[in-house]
Amino acid sequence: MLTLRPAAERGHADHGWLRTWHSFSFADYYDPRHMGWGNLRVINEDIVAPGTGFGMHGHRDMEIITYMLAGELTHRDSMGHTATLRAGEVQHMSAGRGVMHSEMNHGTQPVHLLQIWILPRVRGIAPSYTQAPMDITAGRGRLAPVALPVDHPEAAPLRIHADAALYAARLDGADTTQHRLAPGRLGYVHVVRGRLAVNGVALAAGDAALALDEPLLTLADAQAAEVLLFDLARA
C-alpha cells in the first residue's frame, strides 16, 4: 500500500529569517497522524536567509543528516568541529549522549537544505560528526547510497547508528530504477525536485509516498527529478 503525503499538507512556518516545511510533527506543528514513519522522525525542508541561522542548541540520541541543496552553511559543535557545508554535500551528526551545535548562513545567498532525523539503534553512544560530497550525477538514473548502517557491507558517504538506509537519485525521461524492500520493512520516498511516479503514483516536488507491505518500489516517469528513498525499520 502506498499513501501519498502531499507537499501542500506539510506543516509550514515563516519566521522571516527561516521558511520551513515539516513532513512530520515538529516544533509548533503537531498532527497525531504524522508523527514519523517507522524510525524516520523528521524531514524538514528549510530555507535560511543570509546572515541568520540556528544558534547553539543541543541534541541527544538522534541520527541527524543534513542534505544540502543550495548555499553555504557554517557548522560548529561542542566536539570541536567547524565546517562549511555546500550544495552537493551531506553531513551526519550522531548526537549520542549529547552534543551542542550551531548552523549559520554567513553567505549572501539563502541556504536551502533538508534536515533528516532518524531514531538510533542504541542510546547513549559517543557523539560523532561526518561531512562528505554526494555526487549523484555520476550515476544518474540509479539509486546511490547516501547513508547506511555502520555494519552494512556496501560503501556509502555516511554511516549511521540506525536500522535505516537512505538513497538518492536523479531521474529524467526514460530513467527507471527500483528498490526491493525486505519483509517487514517500510519505504519512504521524498521528491526533492521535479516530478516522478512511484509504483504508478504521481509525485511532485515536496510530495512523499509512504510504503507499507510494498515489496518493490519502482521510480519512473521522471521529469528532472531528484529523489530520496528511505528503507526503514518499523519503530
Side-chain angles (χ1 to χ4, degrees), residues 94-109:
S94 184
R97 55 179 171 259
V99 65
M100 301 287 291
H101 78 136
S102 64
E103 301 156 295
M104 304 299 296
N105 179 4
H106 295 308
T108 60
Q109 302 298 319

Side-chain angles (χ1 to χ4, degrees), residues 166-233:
L166 169 59
Y167 302 88
R170 285 187 181 164
L171 307 169
D172 196 20
D175 295 335
T176 299
T177 190
Q178 294 182 319
H179 179 78
R180 189 168 295 279
L181 293 169
R185 303 290 291 182
L186 300 177
Y188 190 91
V189 179
H190 180 91
V191 181
V192 180
R193 295 184 259 236
R195 296 175 176 273
L196 54 69
V198 180
N199 289 5
V201 177
L203 279 72
D207 291 345
L210 292 73
L212 172 66
D213 297 328
E214 290 276 349
L216 185 66
L217 297 176
T218 300
L219 281 57
D221 301 326
Q223 299 175 33
E226 183 171 354
V227 61
L228 299 181
L229 185 149
F230 297 82
D231 186 323
L232 303 161

Side-chain angles (χ1 to χ4, degrees), residues 46-59:
D46 293 340
I47 298 177
V48 184
T52 70
F54 303 92
M56 195 65 70
H57 60 284
H59 299 282

Side-chain angles (χ1 to χ4, degrees), residues 36-187:
W37 186 242
N39 53 353
L40 175 61
R41 180 61 187 83
V42 167
I43 299 181
N44 290 346
E45 180 178 359
D46 293 340
I47 298 177
V48 184
T52 70
F54 303 92
M56 195 65 70
H57 60 284
H59 299 282
R60 66 179 303 148
D61 292 322
M62 193 65 69
E63 300 295 294
I64 300 172
I65 297 169
T66 301
Y67 189 94
M68 289 290 292
L69 298 172
E72 297 186 353
L73 190 72
T74 298
H75 165 96
R76 290 187 175 88
D77 65 42
S78 56
M79 295 177 282
H81 301 105
T82 298
T84 299
L85 285 82
R86 298 177 174 86
E89 293 185 315
V90 288
Q91 176 205 69
H92 166 236
M93 190 172 68
S94 184
R97 55 179 171 259
V99 65
M100 301 287 291
H101 78 136
S102 64
E103 301 156 295
M104 304 299 296
N105 179 4
H106 295 308
T108 60
Q109 302 298 319
V111 164
H112 189 190
L113 61 87
L114 296 177
Q115 187 161 106
I116 297 156
W117 294 9
I118 302 174
L119 297 170
R121 273 177 171 162
V122 182
R123 299 169 66 89
I125 63 174
S128 62
Y129 177 88
T130 306
Q131 180 178 334
M134 182 63 227
D135 183 10
I136 58 175
T137 61
R140 203 201 81 174
R142 66 178 181 85
L143 289 162
V146 178
L148 296 174
V150 291
D151 56 353
H152 197 285
E154 190 176 356
L158 304 178
R159 292 287 181 178
I160 58 176
H161 299 276
D163 186 6
L166 169 59
Y167 302 88
R170 285 187 181 164
L171 307 169
D172 196 20
D175 295 335
T176 299
T177 190
Q178 294 182 319
H179 179 78
R180 189 168 295 279
L181 293 169
R185 303 290 291 182
L186 300 177

